[in-house]
Amino acid sequence: MKASSRKFGRLLKAKLSISVAAWIFLSVVAIEVIIFIPSYARREQELLTQMKEVSTVKVEAILSLKVGDRTYPQILTQIKSLTNRSNIVGGALYSKDGELIGNFGEVPPMPLQDFMVQDKNKPTNQQENQKTIGIVPLPDHNRVDFIWTSLRIDDRFMLILRQDTSSIATELQSYAFRIGGLVLIIALFVTATTMGVLGKLVIWPILRLREDLEIAGESLNGEVDQANFYSLSVKRDDELGEVMIAFRQMFQLVRSEIMSRTESEQALREEQKKSEQLLLNILPGCIADQLKESDQLIADSFTNVTVLFADIVGFTEISSQASPGELVELLNQIFSIFDQLSQQYGLEKIKTIGDEYMVVGGLPQPQVNHAQAIADMALAMQAHAEKFTFRGQAIALRIGINTGSVIAGVIGRKKFTYDLWGDTVNVASRMESSGIPGKIQVTEITYQLLKDQYKFLERGLIPIKGKGEMMTYWLVGAMDMD
């Protein structure tokens, strides 16, 4: 019962229901009004005819009281007596020739000549039976004139009587109210009945189909996992049923397209993630972001960074003994550990060239302790390298470190490379190439930055290609701060 009440309430609140109900109601009222207008006129004519007949009976009754030769004043006096007990408010008496004999009360106008002309044009049989030939409504809606040109009792005169028709107006008003009420009841009944039928057959299914559209939208947006459509449970063989079938087909098509597009977008996002990850493996994160936003040349100058080069000692001999798979596997294991260490100490791996590994501290984002981070990584690289062997032969590293200014930038269009240039880089490379297996050689500049936190051994002056003799040091380890 409650469900039916809610359903009916929703039906009444629906704009479609309101519009349909209004049109049905107005249409029925309009039809009834069209029918009522002539009915009202007929009813008015019937009441006037009844009043005319009653007046005729009264006139004849008065005149029949004294039959014989009577003078016109006597006849006028007899008719005037009608005003005492009827709705007759005035009258006028004319001779057969149309001469006014006398009048009383409210004096009627004199359209008698016009009616006489009309009377002559009527067939004879109609003249014999005609007691009155006209009813003349007046501008005052409460007055009407009845005109007699022939009476059965005495045909020597003609008579016009003015009568009060206010009772007819009251009756017509009551009649209009009764008909209006009946019209309203009929209109409401037809509207309610039609709405009941249309509500069940058309409006309610349309409202439910609208709900299906809302559910479809939520389902397509991923807000609803399972779409439970009203239209799935309805089978109709009419146009609305065809609309429901078309809706279901459209939903399935759109959902299929969206799922396909979602899968494509997901695959695209996965590929994009892979591409970004590959780009991040090649370039620093901030450099990769700049490259994605603009294709302008990327080049920066850094005044204070620390560069490290590391080289596997005896790699040429190892490569001649190892198979390709063994060689790549060895390098991958060693350099993967180096990559982890560079991330651990917040450093930026620049590149690997053969068996050589290059990393820098202090760029592309400034780093206050770049020299210390490079020193810690160098010591950790040595420690891990000592754990590796190849066919029973120990693996040793030569490491060189230098501090200074560099220029960094991206080169290439198809294969990007983030690289460093400058004297600082060259000297760091010379520190590695002129070093001793298992040792970490640093320049005077790096030594001055680290001497209070780390242990060093002075190597002394050594010749460096392109630089002459330079003072260098061996980094031994971190200083015990206890």
Side-chain angles (χ1 to χ4, degrees), residues 337-395:
I337 292 175
F338 292 173
D339 289 343
Q340 294 175 3
L341 292 175
S342 67
Q343 290 182 350
Q344 176 182 342
Y345 294 108
L347 303 173
E348 190 65 43
K349 172 188 174 182
I350 300 301
K351 60 185 176 181
T352 59
I353 305 175
D355 63 324
E356 190 174 63
Y357 190 92
M358 179 182 178
V359 65
V360 62
L363 63 78
Q365 299 295 336
Q367 186 179 9
V368 177
N369 62 337
H370 55 85
Q372 290 89 334
I374 287 291
D376 289 338
M377 180 172 176
L379 293 171
M381 291 169 70
Q382 272 195 337
H384 282 284
E386 291 174 356
K387 300 177 183 179
F388 282 94
T389 59
F390 180 74
R391 294 184 180 181
Q393 181 181 351
I395 299 296

Side-chain angles (χ1 to χ4, degrees), residues 2-243:
K2 292 182 178 179
S4 299
S5 300
R6 288 195 298 267
K7 181 178 178 180
F8 183 71
R10 289 185 57 193
L11 195 62
L12 290 180
K13 293 179 181 178
K15 294 180 180 179
L16 180 61
S17 299
I18 295 174
S19 299
V20 172
W23 276 109
I24 294 174
F25 181 81
L26 293 176
S27 299
V28 173
V29 170
I31 293 171
E32 294 293 338
V33 168
I34 293 173
I35 297 174
F36 170 72
I37 291 175
S39 174
Y40 182 89
R42 286 194 302 271
R43 181 58 178 167
E44 183 180 23
Q45 189 63 37
E46 288 174 359
L47 293 174
L48 288 172
T49 302
Q50 291 175 7
M51 181 174 285
K52 175 195 68 175
E53 293 174 350
V54 171
S55 298
T56 301
V57 171
K58 289 181 179 180
V59 170
E60 291 180 348
I62 289 295
L63 294 177
S64 65
L65 294 176
K66 187 177 181 181
V67 181
D69 294 333
R70 287 173 293 181
T71 63
Y72 287 132
Q74 291 175 334
I75 296 174
L76 183 62
T77 301
Q78 290 176 334
I79 295 175
K80 185 177 180 181
S81 65
L82 291 172
T83 59
N84 298 327
R85 52 183 182 276
S86 68
N87 57 355
I88 298 173
V89 295
L93 187 64
Y94 293 86
S95 67
K96 188 76 173 177
D97 298 330
E99 180 182 356
L100 178 63
I101 298 173
N103 52 50
F104 62 90
E106 295 182 10
V107 180
M110 194 178 297
L112 187 60
Q113 300 298 330
D114 295 338
F115 283 101
M116 291 176 67
V117 171
Q118 295 177 17
D119 188 45
K120 291 178 180 180
N121 294 331
K122 292 180 181 294
T124 304
N125 59 343
Q126 288 187 351
Q127 288 186 6
E128 293 176 354
N129 298 325
Q130 186 73 18
K131 296 180 181 180
T132 67
I133 67 169
I135 302 174
V136 182
L138 301 177
D140 184 353
H141 295 293
N142 292 328
R143 295 291 186 269
V144 69
D145 288 344
F146 295 142
I147 303 171
W148 285 266
T149 60
S150 177
L151 293 173
R152 290 179 299 177
I153 298 174
D154 195 337
D155 60 356
R156 294 175 299 161
F157 60 87
M158 291 173 287
L159 178 65
I160 300 177
L161 291 179
R162 172 167 292 185
Q163 298 197 21
D164 181 7
T165 58
S166 57
S167 61
I168 293 179
T170 302
E171 174 63 23
L172 288 174
Q173 185 177 12
S174 176
Y175 176 76
F177 279 126
R178 291 196 303 272
I179 296 300
L182 184 61
V183 167
L184 182 60
I185 293 173
I186 292 174
L188 290 175
F189 177 77
V190 172
T191 301
T193 304
T194 307
M195 284 301 300
V197 176
L198 287 178
K200 182 177 181 180
L201 296 180
V202 179
I203 299 176
W204 182 249
I206 290 177
L207 294 178
R208 294 301 304 272
L209 187 58
R210 184 185 66 179
E211 293 180 355
D212 284 356
L213 290 172
E214 295 174 354
I215 296 174
E218 294 174 355
S219 176
L220 294 176
N221 287 332
E223 299 177 6
V224 177
D225 295 333
Q226 184 66 30
N228 186 17
F229 294 130
Y230 160 80
S231 56
L232 292 176
S233 61
V234 177
K235 293 183 179 180
R236 299 177 59 137
D237 296 329
D238 54 11
E239 289 77 5
L240 192 56
E242 294 175 358
V243 172

